[in-house]
Amino acid sequence: HTRLPVVIPDRVTHEFVRAVADTPVPVIVVLHINHAQEIDQAVVDAVSQLRQVCRSVLNQSVILAGVNDSSAAQIALSETLYASGIDPYYLNVLDQVAGAAHFFVEAPRIRKIQQEMLDALPGFLVPRLVRETAGVGHKVPWMETLNS
């Protein structure tokens, strides 16, 4: 899990790629990209290098009020990711932590965005909607957390 190829794509060097290729286990890279505008040609080039040596390159994003809390933004993100060689994987609901309340998106809006994504995109471009739950060692499907 990393933002490195997004914020400093020049760090994905031939030496780095060779080191990844030399690992004894298959490597999966999960990027953290929240908006299609974060993906430029330098990111595409870095991902292209990673795809040569990684089993897959996935993305997880966080739904953020005022940043990407519309179906248009989420659809554009999924389509841009895919065109860049990155598979949409997780769409995280924001953890309710101190200092981040202004980014929180309410459940009805999230439901609407998810439905519009399902209506507009093929299934493989719709990331799994998840959230972190205290005491659970994995991400939990978001709908399961609404009743708890």
Side-chain angles (χ1 to χ4, degrees):
H1 290 252
T2 183
R3 278 190 54 82
L4 185 74
V6 180
V7 296
I8 313 174
D10 292 342
R11 290 278 180 97
V12 181
T13 63
H14 294 294
E15 294 78 18
F16 177 80
V17 170
R18 188 171 45 249
V20 171
D22 290 343
T23 61
V25 296
V27 174
I28 296 172
V29 173
V30 181
L31 300 175
H32 294 245
I33 302 171
N34 294 316
H35 200 282
Q37 291 179 352
E38 293 183 88
I39 302 171
D40 61 14
Q41 190 58 49
V43 173
V44 172
D45 293 345
V47 168
S48 177
Q49 290 185 68
L50 290 172
R51 288 189 56 80
Q52 293 176 28
V53 296
C54 293
R55 174 161 287 170
S56 46
V57 179
L58 308 173
N59 186 66
Q60 72 170 9
S61 60
V62 179
I63 190 163
L64 301 166
V67 176
N68 62 5
D69 63 331
S70 71
S71 58
Q74 289 298 324
I75 290 166
L77 176 58
S78 285
E79 291 175 338
T80 304
L81 287 167
Y82 188 72
S84 304
I86 307 163
D87 294 324
Y89 183 49
Y90 282 142
L91 176 56
N92 290 279
V93 174
L94 183 70
D95 294 339
Q96 293 187 5
V97 295
H102 60 290
F103 287 120
F104 186 73
V105 179
E106 297 292 332
R109 181 142 181 82
I110 293 171
R111 276 192 206 98
K112 182 177 188 293
I113 292 167
Q114 182 185 37
Q115 187 59 57
E116 290 172 352
M117 290 175 70
L118 288 166
D119 291 343
L121 296 169
F124 64 90
L125 288 186
V126 180
R128 293 176 57 200
L129 187 59
V130 297
R131 89 169 330 138
E132 305 257 346
T133 301
V136 177
H138 57 82
K139 296 186 188 308
V140 176
W142 178 69
M143 292 302 291
E144 289 181 16
T145 67
L146 291 179
N147 298 325
S148 55

